Amino acid sequence: MTFEPQWPVLLSDSQGGDFSLINNLLELEEHTLWLGCRLIDSLGRVSILSQTNATPLYWHLADELISVSVLNNELKAFAATLGLCCTSKLVIRSVSDAQHLVLWLEQQ
């Protein structure tokens, strides 16, 4: 399968403990990637950096889209690690909202 995410994407660790907004493949290549990190594209598709036996790392498209509820909970936890108060008031309604929130958090 060809790796063709709908840009921009959110890059996160496997647990959603850290997020970055990535606008294109060149920006993605500037990041240190590790087994299990995830990309959540603008359509909500999740790709996981995987490896089997001796193969090089590759992006594996997950079977399901990420739910907005799960993404919202992960972003609340991420915002809390950054020291943002009142994270209970953070509510996203779409992947686009999540991207805007991560961009805002990166600028704080």
Side-chain angles (χ1 to χ4, degrees):
M1 175 183 290
T2 305
F3 176 64
E4 296 180 12
Q6 181 70 40
W7 303 97
V9 298
L10 294 173
L11 172 64
S12 77
D13 61 24
S14 61
Q15 305 301 314
D18 187 28
F19 283 90
S20 297
L21 182 64
I22 310 294
N23 290 301
N24 54 50
L25 187 57
L26 290 175
E27 278 186 35
L28 179 62
E29 291 172 349
E30 293 173 2
H31 283 77
T32 301
L33 302 176
W34 58 94
L35 190 63
C37 64
R38 302 177 307 168
L39 288 182
I40 303 166
D41 79 1
S42 294
L43 301 175
R45 297 178 299 193
V46 178
S47 296
I48 303 165
L49 197 56
S50 304
Q51 186 175 33
T52 55
N53 300 330
T55 64
L57 293 174
Y58 65 95
W59 291 104
H60 169 76
L61 184 63
D63 293 333
E64 296 182 13
L65 301 177
I66 191 164
S67 77
V68 172
S69 175
V70 167
L71 186 54
N72 195 56
N73 289 337
E74 289 180 4
L75 287 171
K76 284 180 181 183
F78 172 58
T81 65
L82 298 176
L84 188 68
C85 69
C86 307
T87 57
S88 62
K89 294 181 181 179
L90 292 177
V91 177
I92 60 162
R93 291 181 173 80
S94 66
V95 175
S96 178
D97 285 353
Q99 291 171 341
H100 287 97
L101 176 59
V102 169
L103 180 62
W104 182 80
L105 291 170
E106 287 178 340
Q107 295 172 350
Q108 299 309 306

